[in-house]
Amino acid sequence: MSKINPAFNKELEKFGSVNYNACYNCGNCTAVCSLSTEDDSFPREMVRLSVLGLEDDIRSSLKPWECYYCGECSTHCPQEANPGELMMSLRRYLTAHYDWTGLSGLMYKSLTLSIIAFVATFAAVIAFAVSVGFELEKMLHFGHMFEGIAIGTIGFTILLPNIARMWYYTILKPKTKVTFMKYVKSIGELFIHMFTQKRALGCDDNQFRWFEHFILVIGYLSLLFTTVVLNWFGTSSLFVIVLGYIMSAIVFVVTIDFVKGRMKAKKEVSKHSQPSDIFFVVWLFLMGLTAFMVRLFIDLDILESNKWLYIFHLTVLVQWALIIVPFGKWTHFLYRSFAMYFAKLKAD
Amino acid sequence: MEKKPKRIGVYVCHCGGNISDYVDVEKVRRSVEGEDAEIVVLAKTTMFACSDANQREMVEDIKANNLDSVIVSSCSPKLHMLTFRNVSVRADLNKFTYVHANIREQASWAHSDDKNGATEKAIHLVKAAIAKARYAEPLETNKIRAVKTVAVIGAGVAGMKAAISLAQKNTDVILIEKEPFVGGRVAQWDSLSTTTETGKEMVKRLYNELLKYDNITIMTNSEVIENKGSVGNISLKIKKTPRFINATACHPDDLKRAIEVCPVEVPDDFNFRLNSRKAIYKNYPSEYPQIPVIDVKNCTRCGECEKVCKAIDFNEKEEIFEIVAGSVLMATGFDSYTPAYGEFGYATSENVITLPQFKRLIDTQFDKLIYKGKEIKTIAYIYCVGSRQTDGENTYCSRNCCTSTIHAALTAKNKFKNITNYHFNRGLRTYGKQEILYADSLRSGDIYFQSYEDGLPKVSVEGAKTIVKVNDVLTNNREIEVEADLVVLVTGMVPRSDNSIGTLFKLPKGRDKFYNEVHMKLRPVETVIDGITIAGACQGPKNITESVNSALSAATKSYTILSRGELETDPLVATIDPEKCSWCGACEEACPFDAILKVENGKKVIAEINNTVCKGCGMCAPVCDPDAVNLIACSSREIMSMIDALV
Amino acid sequence: MEVEKGKTAKYLREKLGGIPEQAKENLKQFNGIKKIMVDALKEQDLTVKQMSEKINMPTDEVMFYLMSLVKYGIVVTGEIDDMDEYYTYKLNK
Amino acid sequence: MENPIRNIAYDALVIGAGIAGGETALNLANTGYKVLLVDRELSVGGKMIMLSKVFPTLDCAACITTPKVSEISRHPNITIFTGSEVSKIRKVSDNEFVALVTKQPRYVHIEDCTACQLCEKACPVNVRDQYQFGLIGRKAAFIPFSICSPKAAAIDIDNCTLCGACEKVCPTNCIDFTMEVETMELHVKTIVVATGFNLFNAEKMPRYGFGKYKNVITAQQMERELAPTRPFNTILRPGDGKVPDKIAYVLCVGSRDASIGNPVCSQICCMYSIKQAQLLMGSLPMADVTIYYINIRSFGKGFEEFYQQAKGMGVNFVKGKIGRISEKENGNLILRYEDINEGKLQEAEHDMVILSTGVLPNTGIDKLFENQKLQLDQFSFIGQSDMLASPAKTSIEGVFVAGTATGPMDIPDSILSAGSASSEAISYLIQHP
Amino acid sequence: MGELNKKSAKILVFSTEKISDPAIDMAGLLKLHYPPTVYTISIPCSSGIKPSWILYAYEKGFDGVFIAADGSDCIYGESCTEKTGNLVSKTHNLMKEKNIDPARLRMAAICSVCSESFVKQVRGFNEYLLKTLHA
């Protein structure tokens, strides 16, 4: 017995859903989706659950994470009900829901709040710079320290609890029985998806998009590794320096293409971009570019006279680490991978 | 007596496989060609007997072979008997020499399971037709003068439109309405889909147009009680019930007061019994004709109204009018299905009403939707109540209710605040451009659930709440429960429960019990009774546009029948053999039309047939002991020779 | 202009200054295919599939030309195979 | 040579000689008016004359159209121009329109042709037959189809090689290549537009593979396969001549689909598909027929019963719109859909797929009217100026509309709307003598 | 024909042009099968059947005669039912006189859409006739 909640669509609209109420349940979206299978049929099921506002079912579902938004469903929807965008907004809704702090939801729903957060972090960085008297060495040192501490803190206090919450909603609460051995055996799934996004290959819109995405993930993770572990800005190892250059270049070059797409909004996937989507790609671009420039300025030995560049880089970095990673679109990267893992656990 | 043998031509139709797939048409052809070679001088098969090419060929054959009579063995005579009679006429044969054999509906289709049997039967049927053709003689048709007047029965939109259209064609119209007011169902609706005009405004517009034509006589509160004669000359007796109000002496304010003082309260049928009205009443202020009426059945004659209004006159008497019309156009409309006691909580739950009631409710409420003192926020609509029944008689789809419901739901949503609509349907049927309305409704947030006939929604009452449960096809058959303030049963269209007019005119009904046309595509507004056309929803569920289209079609047909001022009728009447007859009066007694006269022919008193009155039913034939009566074309010798051929 | 009845095609040919290239090409192609198909059927009765393999032409095109030849009475439909799936076609003798 | 311009006057001009136009012409002619009936095809009868049988009675379409057609063609008050188009219409006064009609040369004198088919036999050309929707060939000298009217040969000049073979064999010398385009200026008092509809071009939905996969055909083509004068003389799939035994109907191809620009329901596809399914079950008793639908719209008189009858006969009805079709090596087709009843994505293999394509407006009619505007509705069908009370009236006084020119309609409704247009036209003629 | 006789009895049906004939036609349309040795002669009204015709049919070899009567739907008036009843009882008497089983004449009202009822009637009649006549 299910009680329905028609008011749910108002809630979902705040997460960016468009017109999904128009659905007349023909199933065309499911049928054109190349990722949909007999055992895993979507997006119509999610559209229907959203129309009826069956929140428990939505929260326990992993299907929103199984969609990589090629946009075919929306292109061919006879009612122009935008199932693809609904899946996107469900991902935002779920992100907000998994987040114990509640900040994700607030920022998705309110652009003002997001801007305030960005301004506040910017102010904090400036304040810090003032406190150290704009001393480059100190700032560089702090920047490196910050990266490590932020990863650890955000990871343990926000991301990990949120993943646990996701696990609770999707596995524990629906009373799915999973043996410990299965947890162990299936763990490979998590890493494969995290690093390759293998599933997106199934999207038949274009393989190039997957490739770009793949390169970007590899580039981003390697850049993270290069800066945090190998201390790119501080190192003198030529190998590390060149590696950092390559990785940061990959990040900003690939993101340029993504940003262009968002701006043109021609393809289905980018027709209904939300601020959070734009922040994500723009900040990623800025991260890559400023990191590249910082190291370049270090190598050219002109960073000292261009401290503002590093302050800018640090601001981007701090905003990325404190806003976008824990409460923004970055989490999708994590949730998707875990969704694949959990799906594997649920299978059979 | 025997003249030279007739020359008969026989055509056996393939009907493009409809016949030839089951009946060996070539065998049929051979068997008639062989055995009756003397008289069957020509026997052919043809792909489509009714095609233009074959018709041309028939005309040539008749002339070239000097045929006296042709037989086409094809589909039911109801379809193409007239077609081939006309072919005979074009070849200068008398149309009554033509004989038709039905080897499709009564052979190939009926026995598609037995090809040999079907072929054998077809051979016999064709032989029987040959036997009949042997005696088929040229006959003169009776000519009658047609009265250029059409009686239109029912003054809903269909009847009103038909009347206007006929009047425009210089035809006299008598528009007869049983109710005291015109407008029918459309007058009951305010908002209509596809237009900004309300139903009442539309009725007003049509009524004002009616008044423009001198050749239209409007008779409200009137009923046809007798019907005599036939096409071209139909006499009708009309009973007009008085309004008991003298229209000329009527002052509107006085009448208003008269209504106020009337102590009688009866359920208001105009508002589908949602409220009550007085015994002297008008359904709505701008209703036509603009004179109230006293409902005699419920009036107690207390005299209160007379005290305040001079116009009231209880001395008015019922009047009987006799009119003559050339054709009758039926536009008697439909009833809304009344759910059975307890059907989806009808009559057992106080929050359950029907769609027409709901539409009246929205029209009569402002700002807030209140029903039985409670504000309504969530509404559940249950579709197909009384339509598409699997365990009831109404197996048909009522065509209109999906669109009508969605329109009502959207109207409620726009008129009142915070309305939530739940639609429990069995597959939406917003055909054509009406689909846009469905899309609009979805976009506005209305929620649809679907079930099949084996899982209809269930309505139950829990405290003040009415609960609707359904296994929703659209959500993997999951059981869904909805709380509703009001449940609206989407009742379909059913034939008028009072069918006295249909009985009076002997109108045949179809499987769905609505009046039946001769043929849905060939003669869609004509009935088997010559001169009687049907229009609007008395023929089956229709929306306003469709009703008006059929009304104008029927008007065209009635006009075509009468426009020439003269009509031909079949001369297939009874005949008396003066040798055998010695007047006993049995035939006179049997005749339902007073067509038998007692005459003296010089030698003795015998019976004689009045050809213009006789309708050729043959009731006089079996009662004649000396066997002096026969029907032309159905005489004993024809029937017996057909029996010979069929054995 | 008076043109003798029964010889009006010549008139139009002259007026247009020849025959449309496309029509000529189409006729040539059809005559060629007709000959190949008739020759193939002289050897044995064939289904559409078999014909396709034999004359190296896609089955749907074989279908179109073969059915046209059936319509014109050059080829007739023969037996259906054991699986009730494919008819064979043969020359009309 | 200059085109001779003929000046002729009629009471009414009916544009389009399909079932609605024909019915209108008959109604007007039967009440004594002189009617000119113009159609751009070589035969009158419109789309209906090409059908096999009609729902829900399963009468053969020919049995209903041909007698009407023959009545039309024989009526002393009706003049028919086939192969002709109205190119311009100007309203000059309350009861006068001037219409320019262009008549394409048929290269055959209709009145002399006996339809002996000798020219057809003699013609060496073979091109795709438009009246069989390309399933089979025809000659360049040809009789359009067996029940066409006027029943006379025509020359397809674009494909003719001007060899003169047809002329040589013609026993009545009715073939005449000297014919030219004729242009006529007509004076009429009223006009009825009955220009019908177009069917959606399924090639515009590449995901269904029509045009690419040869065993995906349209319902219009299947209609020909089922008709008495059918191209293959039995039901075969056009890809390789196999007798199909697992047939699928895909509904709402080009209807109820905003993504291709037509959100309207075509209101006839459900029923004609159910009809064809019943006919297929009759002629191929071993075959499986599945209809993939969104909602079955069996709303008319006897329609629901007809739908139930099809279910009883064993036609499968599956709720779910087909998303994609792909082809297997053997020409069979894989249909991808969500079975809504199960809520699951499914794939089904069929050996023949029929696309039930929807009804689209026949565009461009409004362009004919020169000095007054013929209003269209939001879907480009002809607008009804008073849709509820006078459905046949258009934005121009004296111009009426019948049949599917105003939107999708089944045959009974088309005939009723023709009766309605006739009524308005007769009233107009009486009121504007 | 001998073969057929074993399967089905020969039945002559008197139907009426406007009421029962459409029902019999519709039985064909709906492919409701009945024995092919059921033949129909259509007349305007069932109350116009002469008993002599019925007797003639038996004489010529029909096993049974079925009157598909108009019933109350008759377009010529309500007296039809009564009159048809009268002629049937008159015929029954004549049959008894001639030693013909009166059960070989049956009558039922068949309305214009009573296809199923018609088919049921003639099938039942056929079974009865086969049992009694060809046992």
Side-chain angles (χ1 to χ4, degrees), chain C residues 6-9 11-13 15 19 23 26-27 30 48 59-60 63-64 67-68 71-72 85-86 89, chain D residues 124 126-128 136-139 157 159 161-162 167 176-178 180 214 232 236 238-243:
Chain C
K7 290 190 178 161
T8 56
Y11 156 81
L12 189 58
R13 210 158 51 221
K15 191 182 154 202
I19 307 157
N26 179 47
L27 177 62
F30 174 60
V48 171
T59 49
D60 62 293
M63 185 72 185
F64 169 69
M67 288 301 134
S68 301
K71 179 179 164 185
Y72 304 143
E85 284 186 335
Y86 293 95
Y89 297 89
Chain D
N126 183 56
V127 291
R128 289 206 183 252
I136 195 171
R138 63 151 169 81
K139 300 298 184 73
I157 204 71
N159 289 297
T161 57
L162 298 172
E167 273 188 296
D176 180 359
F177 284 98
T178 67
E180 305 261 350
K214 300 299 171 188
F232 306 150
L236 298 177
D240 61 357
K242 180 176 181 275
V243 178

Side-chain angles (χ1 to χ4, degrees), chain D residues 374-394:
Chain D
L374 186 74
Q375 227 105 49
L376 302 181
D377 72 4
Q378 54 172 318
F379 312 105
S380 298
F381 286 103
I382 292 176
Q384 294 160 292
S385 61
D386 186 3
M387 184 173 161
L388 296 185
S390 293
K393 283 191 178 162
T394 68

Side-chain angles (χ1 to χ4, degrees), chain B residues 18 52 55 80 90 161 165 168-169 205 395 399 428-429 432-433 435 452 519 521 539 549 553, chain D residues 53 55 59 63 70 74 256 296-298 301 304 341 377 386 389 406 413 416 420 423 427 431:
Chain B
N18 280 314
D52 200 34
Q55 289 189 29
H80 285 322
R90 286 207 303 284
K161 271 307 286 189
S165 143
Q168 285 171 338
K169 297 176 182 61
R205 174 155 69 104
T395 54
R399 183 170 187 143
L428 251 291
R429 290 185 172 172
K433 297 176 199 165
E435 180 71 17
Y452 293 117
H519 189 280
K521 298 177 182 82
Q539 190 185 9
N549 271 340
S553 284
Chain D
K53 296 187 185 183
F55 59 81
D59 282 320
C63 302
S70 87
R74 222 179 306 106
R256 297 185 74 186
I296 291 290
R297 294 195 158 162
S298 48
K301 198 167 182 168
E304 176 70 13
N341 287 329
D377 72 4
D386 186 3
T406 59
D413 280 346
L416 289 177
S420 171
S423 174
S427 294
Q431 309 285 312

Side-chain angles (χ1 to χ4, degrees), chain D residues 96-413:
Chain D
E96 194 182 0
F97 292 86
V98 180
L100 218 60
V101 174
T102 321
K103 194 171 184 183
Q104 295 300 326
R106 194 181 179 113
Y107 302 105
V108 172
H109 292 285
I110 292 172
E111 56 284 6
D112 296 333
C113 177
T114 60
C116 67
Q117 292 186 289
L118 286 176
C119 56
E120 204 167 326
K121 285 206 185 79
C123 179
V125 175
N126 183 56
V127 291
R128 289 206 183 252
D129 185 349
Q130 73 269 39
Y131 293 104
Q132 303 287 359
F133 306 109
L135 290 172
I136 195 171
R138 63 151 169 81
K139 300 298 184 73
F142 68 113
I143 292 183
F145 48 95
S146 68
I147 51 172
C148 67
S149 174
K151 184 141 188 193
I155 309 286
D156 169 5
I157 204 71
D158 295 334
N159 289 297
C160 175
T161 57
L162 298 172
C163 66
C166 50
E167 273 188 296
K168 278 184 207 115
V169 297
C170 178
T172 61
N173 266 332
C174 68
I175 296 175
D176 180 359
F177 284 98
T178 67
M179 280 186 169
E180 305 261 350
V181 175
E182 278 182 77
T183 313
M184 284 157 280
E185 199 172 274
L186 302 159
H187 296 258
V188 296
K189 292 176 179 160
T190 180
I191 294 172
V192 178
V193 181
T195 43
F197 64 97
N198 284 331
L199 280 165
F200 175 72
N201 175 8
E203 285 182 18
K204 290 191 178 158
M205 275 175 95
R207 61 199 166 105
Y208 290 163
F210 177 73
K212 193 164 107 201
Y213 309 146
K214 300 299 171 188
N215 296 323
V216 176
I217 64 170
T218 64
Q220 205 181 20
Q221 289 177 313
M222 182 44 101
E223 204 64 52
R224 292 317 298 159
E225 285 215 33
L226 289 162
T229 49
R230 44 200 181 180
F232 306 150
N233 214 16
T234 177
I235 313 285
L236 298 177
R237 56 181 207 179
D240 61 357
K242 180 176 181 275
V243 178
D245 64 2
K246 227 171 163 288
I247 302 164
Y249 276 84
V250 179
L251 296 191
C252 295
V253 180
S255 316
R256 297 185 74 186
D257 193 343
S259 75
I260 52 95
N262 182 29
V264 169
C265 159
S266 291
Q267 92 184 50
I268 55 171
C269 326
C270 285
M271 291 308 291
Y272 74 59
S273 304
I274 293 173
K275 171 199 72 184
Q276 290 192 357
Q278 289 201 15
L279 295 177
L280 281 170
M281 301 285 278
S283 50
L284 304 171
M286 303 306 289
D288 277 344
V289 184
T290 308
I291 294 181
Y292 295 94
Y293 69 95
I294 303 174
N295 295 118
I296 291 290
R297 294 195 158 162
S298 48
F299 54 83
K301 198 167 182 168
F303 291 9
E304 176 70 13
E305 291 86 345
F306 192 69
Y307 165 41
Q308 297 302 334
Q309 182 175 310
K311 277 204 229 168
M313 286 170 77
V315 177
N316 300 315
F317 286 86
V318 175
K319 185 168 168 64
K321 186 176 166 80
I322 298 299
R324 294 181 193 283
I325 298 176
S326 51
E327 193 182 38
K328 281 178 57 174
E329 190 109 312
N330 62 4
N332 285 2
L333 301 145
I334 308 290
L335 277 63
R336 224 175 120 87
Y337 63 98
E338 182 186 345
D339 184 338
I340 303 294
N341 287 329
E342 303 287 325
K344 278 184 176 169
L345 180 98
Q346 298 285 340
E347 289 192 341
E349 183 170 341
H350 291 272
D351 55 8
M352 193 167 175
V353 171
I354 293 130
L355 305 180
S356 300
T357 52
V359 171
L360 295 181
N362 192 357
T363 51
I365 295 109
D366 54 322
K367 306 277 187 314
L368 304 181
F369 291 84
E370 282 200 321
N371 56 347
Q372 297 219 346
K373 190 160 170 49
L374 186 74
Q375 227 105 49
L376 302 181
D377 72 4
Q378 54 172 318
F379 312 105
S380 298
F381 286 103
I382 292 176
Q384 294 160 292
S385 61
D386 186 3
M387 184 173 161
L388 296 185
S390 293
K393 283 191 178 162
T394 68
S395 58
I396 305 176
E397 231 192 305
V399 176
F400 304 99
V401 59
T404 50
T406 59
M409 245 181 238
D410 55 28
I411 296 165
D413 280 346

